[in-house]
Amino acid sequence: MGLFGGPVKQEPVNPTPFDGETFEEPFDSLPTLPKAHNNTIIAKGITFTGVIRGEGAVQVEGRLEGEIDLKGSVTVATTGLIQGPVTADIVRVAGDIQGSVTAREHLCLERTGGIHGDVATASLVVENGRLDGSSTMLVPAEPPKEPEVSVSDLQFGENYNLDEEQ
């Protein structure tokens, strides 16, 4: 008899494996994990000391004392401060950078931002920000060339006539 006079509910008992034995539970499908984003945020109130290298996006809202060498983008928020050189594809500055900046593709210095060092970039936008240093314009990277394909490399169905106009 169960609680309040109802029938007793029997729970199924799962066998436990003995030493060396394993039981596999059937799965319809495994859940997919979310795609990892290569984003790093140094939050306001945090001081990071060191070197950041790699691919992805870095947003600095706190303080970074060191170097950034990135294939990707760097954003310095209005509360952010970087003390050291920055190299990235795209750099957007609303806070302060004390060091040289190399933006291979684009550099945007917003009205609240300041760069105290030399800059080198292929594209520069200054929105009344402060630049204490020299600027050098880089040659923009050329987009990758498409491989040349000759007609002899193409494959057509057996009923296609290359000499016929369609």
Side-chain angles (χ1 to χ4, degrees), residues 42 48-54 58 60 63-71 73-76 81-91 93 96-104 107 114-120:
I42 299 172
F48 177 86
T49 303
V51 177
I52 297 177
R53 284 196 174 91
V58 172
V60 179
R63 181 182 181 120
L64 181 129
E65 298 170 351
E67 176 184 351
I68 295 179
D69 186 3
L70 199 64
K71 181 174 180 166
S73 65
V74 173
T75 302
V76 184
L81 169 65
I82 298 176
Q83 293 178 309
V86 175
T87 301
D89 295 329
I90 299 169
V91 179
V93 183
D96 284 310
I97 296 179
Q98 297 173 356
S100 62
V101 176
T102 302
R104 291 181 284 271
L107 171 63
I115 298 175
H116 308 280
D118 297 337
V119 300

Side-chain angles (χ1 to χ4, degrees), residues 9-79:
K9 185 176 180 183
Q10 294 288 331
E11 294 290 328
V13 177
N14 291 330
T16 57
F18 295 106
D19 290 334
E21 290 184 351
T22 59
F23 289 112
E24 292 185 26
E25 294 184 23
F27 289 107
D28 291 335
S29 65
L30 293 175
T32 59
L33 296 174
K35 185 178 182 221
H37 296 288
N38 293 338
N39 296 338
T40 301
I41 297 176
I42 299 172
K44 184 177 178 181
I46 299 294
T47 298
F48 177 86
T49 303
V51 177
I52 297 177
R53 284 196 174 91
E55 292 184 25
V58 172
Q59 181 169 323
V60 179
E61 298 172 1
R63 181 182 181 120
L64 181 129
E65 298 170 351
E67 176 184 351
I68 295 179
D69 186 3
L70 199 64
K71 181 174 180 166
S73 65
V74 173
T75 302
V76 184
T78 56
T79 58

